[in-house]
Amino acid sequence: MNVLVYLVPMALALGLSGLFAFLWSVRTGQYDDLDGAAVRILDDGDLRDVS
Amino acid sequence: MIDTLERMGYGAHPFAVRGSEDEDKRAARQLLKYLAVAGFAAMNIMLLSVSVWSGNVTDITPETRDFFHWLSALIALPAAAYAGQPFFRSAWAALRSASVNMDVPISLGIVLALGLSVIETVNHAEHAYFDSAVMLLFFLLCGRYLDRAMRARTRAAAGNLAAYRAATAHKLDAKQQLVEVPAASLKPGDLIVVRPGDRVPADGNVVKGTSDIDENLITGETAGRSITPGMLIYAGSQNLSGALTLRITAAGERTLLDEIERLLDKAVVSKSRTVQLADAAARYYAPIVHTAAALTLAGWLLTGAGLHSAVVVAISVLIITCPCALALAVPAVQVVAAGRLFRSGIFLNAGDAIERLAEVDTVVFDKTGTLTLPELRVVNASAIDPAMLQAAARLALSSHHPLAAAVRRHHANGEPFPDAVEEPGQGIRTQVDGMELRLGSAAFCNVMVPEDLALEHDGASLIAFRCGKRSTVFAVHQALRSDAVDTVAALAALGIELHILSGDRSAAVEPLARELRIASWQAGMKPAEKVAVLEGLKARNRRVLMVGDGINDAPSLAAANVSMSPIGASDISQAHADAIFLGDRLQPVLTAVLIARYARRLMRQNLWLAVIYNAVAVPVAVAGMVTPLIAAAAMSGSSSLVTLNALRALSPAIQAARAENPVLPVKTL
């Protein structure tokens, strides 16, 4: 049972890292526009003039 | 900075975004964070709890169990304190105003469950309820997040469409030069030029020019009004024939909207607050549950149990009755039904609109732009030689006149004649293969209008077309929405009372009412009179759905029990409508009513399911036989049942509502 002493904190740490990654993604606005990325390929604004 | 840009020759103007958008985005992010924290806590605590449950029937040592309980507490307490905020705040606000909403029993249940669990943990007891409390929180936050996402999507769609209509005006500057400026930057005293086909951007007095204007967005009147210098015209009307120069009397839309805004304020205030199904349930629910818990406590004390075990049992009653299913019962159906409406081209503005739509027994229609299409159509197109129609449509491509737009839509591909010349106020002409083509007034084209045509299409505008020696006359009219007759008949078949209230002349309303078989119609109605009629209907205890689009309809939209607007409606109408529908058809009105009625039936079923669940669970809890395992199973079981039942709103049980509705794109803009 002593194995629990470090297995449980490890599991929690893994879970927490997932939570913080998610919170970070929310904070950087990655869920603000869920549909924009799909149509971004149609935007020509970033094309450089190659002529 | 704007001044600097101006000096450098670039006119800059602040771009006004809808102010609430940022606020919304922040609230949505916050909710997502709450959800993430609750989800994390629920999963980890469940992991620990399952170990404890399986350990309890096998060989877990008390030390390990305590360790797991303390770990759970460590996760649950901060998580609940953070993620429970929306519920605690709402419950506190309700309690302070001496009322009870669904959040009160929720908050109480969560707090008591956590408190009891901590006490039990301290006493090295077998059971703790951390998992129940946090799981409850997670389920409820899921419901809230879905609800918000649905409404945000509606707003985004409406906002995008409004952006297409960004208004500009042609202003005469100090050097008498015409510059294009945003309508929002106009000031009283400015001189502007309104070209034929343009919308008037601000109220003003005509200084120069004569024309006809179409004021149907403001008054509902479809016949044009002749304008001569000195007359006052209002923002929103459309200039039909000649160029006008205006001196602005009021910028924005102030003067015209003054009366309408006052009416609106009154209508919004006097709008009887409809009691929502969930709140009504909460009103009965909370006292019953709390009494049951108190009686349980008293009962166990009387039968000689110790204070500690009596309190434990009483709290377990509160936990098991914590309205998980009840709180999900209504929102889950709302979200699914709103998604269904969204796919049918109906956007909801108000969250409780579904419940109000379901109660509708009277529908009041505006005429122009609601029963009829907002734009003009050639009504005698089928009687015209297709080759002539094509030629006329191709010529019309070169004109900005709204009547030409009606002809234009009959052209297959957009290649205009190379050198068409527009004669303002008369028509458009060109030379093709040595043949003269003219489209415009009868005099301009030298065409005699057949008398029977003028009689047959009473109220229509007539435009003539000459192609060499041949000629024809188009009758241009606001046509009924293609399925208006069927939709109105289907609504009547549902036993719904129908009325038409129009600002237009009786001559225009009467034939239309006859065609739609709507017996009750009134023409020439002013905004205040429309509101009065609606109040009269409400006084007779009718639940009124108002469908309208014009600025003149905005007060009635606010005054009705529930309201819908087509997407072509004025901004102010859209802001006050509970739902907005897309497309050229009237079908969405019927669809909305049918889906709403079906959704209400599901909501009722769900509430009954929750009641049955409680009827089974409460006796078990009162008997003191609830363990955390049973609580968790009962809670997730009832929640899943209610959610699955809500998903039935997706099933194609509503036959009439299945008629295909083109959702996007919106061609009319």
Side-chain angles (χ1 to χ4, degrees):
Chain A
M1 278 298 137
N2 285 335
V3 73
L4 283 177
V5 173
Y6 58 93
L7 271 187
V8 167
M10 261 171 74
L12 282 181
L14 274 177
L16 271 176
S17 60
L19 176 66
F20 281 119
F22 183 77
L23 288 180
W24 166 79
S25 70
V26 171
R27 197 165 302 131
T28 50
Q30 298 186 34
Y31 292 89
D32 290 353
D33 179 13
L34 295 177
D35 309 318
V39 293
R40 209 169 51 201
I41 193 167
L42 299 175
D43 179 16
D44 289 342
D46 59 340
L47 285 189
R48 257 173 297 160
D49 200 358
V50 285
S51 60
Chain B
M1 188 163 90
I2 288 174
D3 287 345
T4 319
L5 281 170
E6 191 87 58
R7 272 201 303 280
M8 291 165 67
Y10 301 97
H13 301 277
F15 179 70
V17 211
R18 297 191 167 192
S20 62
E21 206 161 84
D22 278 352
E23 189 68 28
D24 278 350
K25 204 169 256 181
R26 211 166 33 241
R29 275 190 193 183
Q30 194 59 47
L31 201 53
L32 203 55
K33 284 188 203 163
Y34 290 149
L35 189 62
V37 170
F40 162 80
M43 278 186 272
N44 283 286
I45 293 173
M46 205 30 110
L47 209 68
L48 295 166
S49 297
V50 171
S51 322
V52 173
W53 297 337
S54 63
N56 273 346
V57 291
T58 51
D59 59 348
I60 196 168
T61 60
E63 294 77 42
T64 318
R65 191 169 59 215
D66 279 351
F67 174 55
F68 276 20
H69 279 168
W70 279 117
L71 263 178
S72 301
L74 194 68
I75 302 168
L77 292 177
Y82 177 70
Q85 282 176 50
F87 303 101
F88 301 152
R89 281 211 196 106
S90 154
W92 181 238
L95 283 179
R96 266 213 309 221
S97 61
S99 68
V100 174
N101 62 7
M102 212 43 130
D103 291 331
V104 174
I106 290 173
S107 305
L108 201 63
I110 292 174
V111 170
L112 284 178
L114 289 175
L116 175 70
S117 304
V118 171
I119 295 169
E120 294 287 86
T121 305
V122 172
N123 293 334
H124 310 288
E126 257 181 53
H127 301 311
Y129 295 88
F130 294 113
D131 55 302
S132 302
V134 181
M135 212 165 59
L136 176 72
L137 210 52
F138 180 61
F139 279 144
L140 295 173
L141 283 168
C142 280
R144 290 242 164 146
Y145 184 73
L146 287 176
D147 193 38
R148 168 172 285 278
M150 183 59 61
R151 258 177 274 167
R153 197 143 60 130
T154 304
R155 255 197 307 272
N160 288 344
L161 291 164
Y164 280 116
R165 282 176 281 163
T168 59
H170 295 91
K171 187 173 115 175
L172 278 174
D173 66 7
K175 291 176 224 121
Q176 291 298 302
Q177 277 172 343
L178 215 50
V179 285
E180 189 162 355
V181 299
S185 72
L186 292 174
K187 287 184 285 296
D190 284 351
L191 277 178
I192 54 167
V193 173
V194 183
R195 297 182 304 186
D198 284 351
R199 278 208 186 281
V200 179
D203 295 3
N205 278 312
V206 178
V207 180
K208 206 167 69 184
T210 56
S211 177
D212 290 316
I213 60 166
D214 174 359
E215 295 187 312
N216 95 56
L217 204 57
I218 303 150
T219 60
E221 168 87 49
T222 47
R225 183 158 76 103
S226 300
I227 293 299
T228 51
M231 290 172 91
L232 178 68
I233 60 177
Y234 296 113
S237 33
Q238 188 161 30
N239 187 10
L240 294 181
S241 40
L244 291 172
T245 307
L246 300 185
R247 181 171 301 282
I248 294 175
T249 52
E253 293 169 294
R254 280 291 147 194
T255 44
L256 164 74
L257 289 180
D258 257 4
E259 191 203 341
I260 286 179
E261 265 176 15
R262 211 180 54 233
L263 282 170
L264 267 178
D265 288 346
K266 230 163 70 185
V268 172
V269 170
S270 72
K271 189 170 199 166
S272 57
R273 278 185 58 82
T274 46
V275 181
Q276 295 176 28
L277 218 48
D279 282 344
R283 204 162 294 165
Y284 294 110
Y285 189 81
I288 291 177
V289 164
H290 295 160
T291 321
L295 285 179
T296 310
L297 180 66
W300 279 82
L301 282 177
L302 283 181
T303 51
L307 181 66
H308 174 252
S309 61
V311 169
V312 168
V313 173
I315 290 180
S316 78
V317 170
L318 278 182
I319 293 172
I320 199 103
T321 54
C322 197
C324 195
L326 205 53
L328 274 173
V330 172
V333 177
Q334 265 178 358
V335 167
V336 177
R340 178 91 186 261
L341 288 170
F342 190 82
R343 277 190 298 283
S344 312
I346 303 160
F347 303 140
L348 293 181
N349 261 346
D352 61 337
I354 292 178
E355 283 176 41
R356 286 185 278 133
L357 267 171
E359 292 172 341
V360 162
D361 59 7
T362 305
V363 179
V364 176
F365 289 105
D366 170 47
K367 183 184 77 81
T368 316
T370 306
L371 288 170
T372 66
L373 289 164
E375 71 273 24
L376 300 163
R377 297 276 165 114
V378 176
V379 281
N380 61 341
S382 55
I384 291 171
D385 176 14
M388 288 288 276
L389 188 58
Q390 279 300 309
R394 192 167 163 200
L395 183 56
L397 284 173
S398 310
S399 171
H400 294 295
H401 198 282
L403 290 175
V407 180
R408 191 159 63 211
R409 67 172 59 243
H410 290 278
H411 193 57
N413 49 18
E415 194 194 335
F417 285 112
D419 37 33
V421 182
E422 185 155 13
E423 306 270 355
Q426 299 187 67
I428 184 164
R429 64 182 164 82
T430 188
Q431 292 275 342
V432 177
D433 304 334
M435 211 164 47
E436 172 98 342
L437 266 65
R438 284 178 173 224
L439 177 73
S441 66
F444 177 69
C445 302
N446 196 14
V447 172
M448 284 291 290
V449 176
E451 255 175 51
D452 54 333
L453 188 76
L455 276 179
E456 190 188 338
H457 300 290
D458 184 31
S461 310
L462 301 175
I463 14 176
F465 176 59
R466 170 168 290 284
C467 172
K469 290 203 163 46
R470 303 169 63 198
S471 70
T472 187
V473 176
F474 302 109
V476 174
H477 204 347
Q478 279 190 313
L480 274 181
R481 286 178 189 264
S482 61
D483 61 342
V485 175
D486 295 342
T487 304
V488 165
L491 283 170
L494 287 176
I496 290 175
E497 195 180 305
L498 299 164
H499 301 273
I500 298 178
L501 296 182
S502 176
D504 209 350
R505 301 152 291 144
S506 340
V509 183
E510 200 254 326
L512 191 129
R514 194 155 12 97
E515 191 181 347
L516 293 170
R517 296 170 196 280
I518 297 180
S520 160
W521 57 271
Q522 281 167 282
M525 303 288 284
K526 296 205 172 58
E529 292 168 340
K530 287 195 182 189
V531 173
V533 171
L534 290 179
E535 294 298 342
L537 285 169
K538 280 162 78 180
R540 277 171 41 210
N541 256 335
R542 310 295 299 189
R543 307 280 179 177
V544 186
L545 163 62
M546 173 80 203
V547 190
D549 73 322
I551 293 173
N552 60 329
D553 293 319
S556 0
L557 290 173
N561 295 90
V562 57
S563 50
M564 291 180 77
S565 276
I567 193 69
S570 58
D571 284 347
I572 183 161
S573 297
Q574 289 193 6
H576 287 276
D578 294 308
I580 296 165
F581 63 93
L582 295 181
D584 283 351
R585 296 152 57 99
L586 198 58
Q587 167 84 32
V589 177
L590 176 64
T591 311
V593 172
L594 287 175
I595 292 182
R597 288 187 172 186
Y598 186 58
R600 184 178 54 170
R601 215 162 58 232
L602 289 178
M603 285 178 200
R604 292 238 165 103
Q605 282 175 7
N606 269 351
L607 289 176
W608 278 114
L609 279 176
V611 167
I612 292 170
Y613 152 78
N614 279 311
V616 175
V618 170
V620 179
V622 171
M625 282 155 41
V626 168
T627 62
L629 178 59
I630 293 177
M635 224 175 244
S636 38
S638 65
S639 300
S640 315
L641 198 63
V642 165
T643 311
L644 284 178
N645 194 39
L647 286 177
R648 292 209 303 143
L650 284 174
S651 73
I654 311 160
Q655 290 298 323
R658 275 167 67 197
E660 67 295 337
N661 246 311
V663 173
L664 287 167
V666 189
K667 290 196 305 262
T668 55
L669 287 168

